[in-house]
């Protein structure tokens, strides 16, 4: 993957983090940060993400897992990259099946349906291959990810979205928990409807060929960056079909064969 010729300095990383944090605090999207860290400098982009994560943890947020993005080869081509990315999930991002989410809880919200995995063991040691990852997964659930971008108009490069926590916003987990012994992620078929109209379909094979392989990739990347996956964490493995924007009053309903359904609705604004 192309890299910037010169290393990005700490001042630029701090400025990029501050810009994105300003968007969160003010509720208004900001310009892209690629003017500060470049379009495709992986190291710099994750440094910004880690700085923002540290700020959130200091403020009391609790890490609940990770999300994997850019698992579609078409989206990778669009952004000129050859690998997925990942972001961090926090406790205030989690919603129960059937929840009503204030539409302004996530900036510029878009939804996508995917398979989520819950870990029963750490993925910090060993080969971190498919066999180890499968053994670490306690169950899979249907999920709706509510993606959001702190970058105005979703005008993102690879560097922008990685710095912006892989465009993570919120997530909704279905209530049916299925162990991998009774579920084939590759063969799973997804249908997502917005206000009763089907807007997205796909299969598990759309997620890097196998959603478990996406978790393998994530486990290795997370360990390399010094923050391995831990027991109890949720992993959103990547979209099985195109994402769609939502507006106040929208209801989203997704079905993943073998895992059942998951739904979420959006209210006009955050309750006072």
């Amino acid at each position: 993957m192309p890299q910037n010729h010169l290393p990005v300095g700490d001042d630029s990383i701090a400025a990029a983090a501050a810009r994105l944090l300003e968007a969160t605090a003010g509720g208004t999207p900001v310009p892209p940060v690629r003017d500060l860290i470049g379009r495709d400098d992986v190291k710099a982009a994750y440094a910004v993400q880690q700085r923002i994560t540290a700020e959130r943890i200091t403020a009391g947020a609790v890490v609940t897992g990770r999300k994997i993005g850019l698992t579609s080869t078409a989206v990778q081509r669009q952004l000129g990259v050859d690998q997925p990315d990942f972001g961090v999930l926090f406790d205030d991002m989690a919603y129960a099946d059937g929840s009503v989410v204030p539409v302004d809880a996530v900036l510029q919200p878009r939804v996508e349906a995917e398979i989520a995995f819950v870990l029963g063991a750490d993925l910090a040691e060993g080969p971190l291959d498919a066999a180890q990852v499968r053994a670490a997964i306690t169950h899979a659930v249907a999920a709706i990810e509510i993606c959001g971008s702190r970058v105005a108009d979703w005008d993102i490069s690879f560097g922008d979205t990685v710095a912006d926590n892989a465009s993570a916003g919120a997530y909704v987990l279905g209530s049916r928990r299925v162990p991998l012994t009774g579920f084939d992620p590759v063969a799973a078929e997804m249908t997502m409807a917005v206000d009763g109209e089907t807007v997205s379909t796909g299969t598990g094979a759309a997620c890097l060929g196998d959603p478990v392989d996406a978790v393998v990739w994530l486990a290795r990347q997370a360990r390399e960056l010094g923050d391995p996956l831990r027991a109890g964490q949720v992993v959103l493995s990547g979209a099985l079909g195109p994402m769609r924007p939502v507006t106040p009053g929208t209801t989203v309903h997704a079905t993943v064969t073998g895992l059942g359904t998951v739904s979420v609705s959006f209210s006009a604004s955050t309750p006072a």
Side-chain angles (χ1 to χ4, degrees):
M1 179 182 297
Q3 299 289 312
N4 290 347
H5 294 295
L6 296 174
V8 176
D10 287 344
D11 288 348
S12 294
I13 289 169
R19 184 181 297 176
L20 294 168
L21 286 166
E22 175 189 347
T24 301
T28 301
V30 293
V33 296
R34 55 184 176 266
D35 63 314
L36 297 168
I37 63 169
R39 298 183 60 90
D40 52 21
D41 189 317
V42 176
K43 183 177 180 180
Y46 278 112
V48 175
Q49 183 187 123
Q50 289 173 323
R51 184 177 288 257
I52 293 172
T53 295
E55 292 268 357
R56 293 220 53 197
I57 292 172
T58 298
V62 176
V63 174
T64 56
R66 306 291 209 290
K67 65 148 288 182
I68 308 172
L70 303 180
T71 53
S72 161
T73 53
V75 176
Q76 288 180 10
R77 285 195 298 268
Q78 182 182 1
L79 291 182
V81 299
D82 59 1
Q83 64 174 303
D85 69 350
F86 73 86
V88 180
L89 302 177
F90 296 97
D91 53 340
D92 62 356
M93 295 180 176
Y95 289 88
D97 188 10
S99 291
V100 177
V101 177
V103 76
D104 60 356
V106 176
L107 284 177
Q108 306 180 101
R110 298 179 179 184
V111 293
E112 57 189 26
E114 52 197 271
I115 297 167
F117 299 106
V118 177
L119 301 178
D122 291 351
L123 288 171
E125 306 292 340
L128 300 183
D129 56 13
Q132 182 181 356
V133 167
R134 283 181 172 275
I137 293 171
T138 61
H139 60 268
V141 297
I144 294 172
E145 182 181 355
I146 307 167
C147 301
S149 183
R150 270 60 61 174
V151 176
D153 301 319
W154 278 87
D155 178 17
I156 56 174
S157 66
F158 182 76
D160 295 307
T161 187
V162 170
D164 188 24
N165 199 25
S167 303
Y171 64 97
V172 185
L173 299 183
S175 56
R176 184 179 179 187
R177 301 176 175 184
V178 181
L180 291 187
T181 53
F183 172 66
D184 179 3
V186 176
E189 298 180 354
M190 178 279 295
T191 302
M192 184 176 73
V194 173
D195 295 330
E197 178 183 354
T198 297
V199 297
S200 182
T201 60
T203 70
C207 180
L208 291 185
D210 183 342
V212 172
D213 286 344
V215 184
V216 170
W217 174 87
L218 171 65
R220 293 172 176 173
Q221 293 296 310
R223 182 172 68 180
E224 184 175 329
L225 289 174
D227 190 12
L229 301 178
R230 298 297 183 184
Q233 291 186 339
V234 175
V235 176
L236 302 180
S237 61
L240 305 185
M243 63 181 178
R244 291 290 183 267
V246 292
T247 56
T250 295
T251 295
V252 182
H253 185 94
T255 300
V256 179
T257 56
L259 298 180
T261 63
V262 57
S263 65
V264 63
S265 299
F266 294 87
S267 62
S269 62
T270 305

